[in-house]
Amino acid sequence: MTSLRAAVEFSVHRLFFAVRDRRRPPLDLVQAAGIVPGNRVVDFGCGSGSHVVPAAMLTGPKGHVYAVDANPYALRHVKRLVADQGLTNVTIAQTECAVSLPSETVDVVLLNDVLHALRDPQPVLRELQRLLRPEGYLAVSDHHLSQDNLERVLD
């Protein structure tokens, strides 16, 4: 991804996310995902970070959130957001697929408004499955996909 393309893409997404977050508050979505204190959470495709802050607040100081995105402009924004909130339980990482965490170490993976944008979602889904503990789960929300399309992608 070129630097100009990444900057433009993030600017457009940031506007979209602002509208989305008014209609579907991030805290509501993160609470619905069942995140509890002490959880280790990956927010894959974290974008502007609107779910990172509430996830970090729910996991508390004994939990941890890994904010992951391919776009460096998104991650710079998330880094500022995390610093402004004084959060110390967030790690930020840039990747399009592979996450630098050991297998079976994550309790919850958030995948919000990401699946529709992946050309081939299967490598990402395999990677996220690798990260999840046996009792962990993937929390998916993507209003760009119908329920049928979402189920087909996840099969």
Side-chain angles (χ1 to χ4, degrees), residues 60-96:
K62 292 186 179 179
H64 204 86
V65 175
Y66 299 89
V68 178
D69 204 285
N71 189 313
Y73 289 91
L75 295 175
R76 281 188 217 146
H77 179 77
V78 173
K79 186 175 183 177
R80 283 192 304 271
L81 185 64
V82 166
D84 290 347
Q85 295 290 323
L87 298 171
T88 58
N89 62 339
V90 177
T91 299
I92 297 166
Q94 184 178 354
T95 185
E96 289 187 19

Side-chain angles (χ1 to χ4, degrees), residues 14-117:
R14 191 166 171 206
L15 290 173
F16 168 77
F17 295 149
V19 172
R20 177 200 67 188
D21 293 347
R22 285 186 187 268
R23 292 180 47 213
R24 296 173 31 211
L27 179 59
D28 292 351
L29 192 140
V30 172
Q31 285 176 323
I35 295 170
V36 296
N39 275 166
R40 291 171 53 105
V41 177
V42 170
D43 184 353
F44 191 89
C46 67
S48 63
S50 55
H51 299 99
V52 171
V53 171
M57 294 167 112
L58 288 174
T59 64
K62 292 186 179 179
H64 204 86
V65 175
Y66 299 89
V68 178
D69 204 285
N71 189 313
Y73 289 91
L75 295 175
R76 281 188 217 146
H77 179 77
V78 173
K79 186 175 183 177
R80 283 192 304 271
L81 185 64
V82 166
D84 290 347
Q85 295 290 323
L87 298 171
T88 58
N89 62 339
V90 177
T91 299
I92 297 166
Q94 184 178 354
T95 185
E96 289 187 19
C97 186
V99 179
S100 297
L101 289 172
S103 297
E104 299 184 359
T105 57
V106 173
D107 299 295
V108 180
V109 172
L110 299 175
L111 193 61
N112 298 314
D113 289 326
V114 175
L115 275 177
H116 72 277

